[in-house]
Amino acid sequence: MSTSNFNLRGISADVMVLLKREAKRLHTSVNVLILKMIERGLGFTAEKPIYNDLDHLAGSWSSADEKTFENNTEYFEQIDKELWT
């Protein structure tokens, strides 16, 4: 499929700031960001969203934190047989 080019006029300064900020956060260009936004908006892409809002938590637990979590969630492993009969 061939590609086409066009100019997008009338972008406010505020929107441009947000586009640049988002492109920088995603380590991409504003052009690629806008193309992906258009494709997503039109339902054209089957690309799965990438979630990274919890990335700062990855690898942050100590062994003690893990043990505390396991102890506090152990109850969830129990099966209530009355619910399944």
Side-chain angles (χ1 to χ4, degrees), residues 52-81:
N52 56 14
D53 51 335
L54 300 177
D55 285 355
H56 67 284
L57 298 174
S60 65
W61 280 9
S62 66
S63 294
D65 292 334
E66 181 181 3
K67 184 68 174 163
T68 300
F69 178 81
E70 291 295 328
N71 289 338
N72 290 333
T73 58
E74 193 173 275
Y75 174 77
F76 300 127
E77 299 294 325
Q78 297 175 13
I79 298 172
D80 187 344
K81 293 181 181 176

Side-chain angles (χ1 to χ4, degrees), residues 11-27:
I11 299 175
S12 71
D14 292 338
V15 170
M16 196 64 211
V17 166
L18 293 174
L19 287 169
K20 286 181 179 181
R21 185 180 301 153
E22 183 67 3
K24 184 176 182 179
R25 185 183 72 79
L26 297 172
H27 306 288

Side-chain angles (χ1 to χ4, degrees), residues 11-50:
I11 299 175
S12 71
D14 292 338
V15 170
M16 196 64 211
V17 166
L18 293 174
L19 287 169
K20 286 181 179 181
R21 185 180 301 153
E22 183 67 3
K24 184 176 182 179
R25 185 183 72 79
L26 297 172
H27 306 288
T28 191
S29 68
V30 171
N31 187 72
V32 169
L33 174 66
I34 292 172
L35 287 172
K36 288 186 180 224
M37 292 172 92
I38 291 170
E39 288 174 355
R40 240 180 284 141
L42 294 173
F44 185 68
T45 181
E47 181 180 305
K48 293 181 181 178
I50 297 172

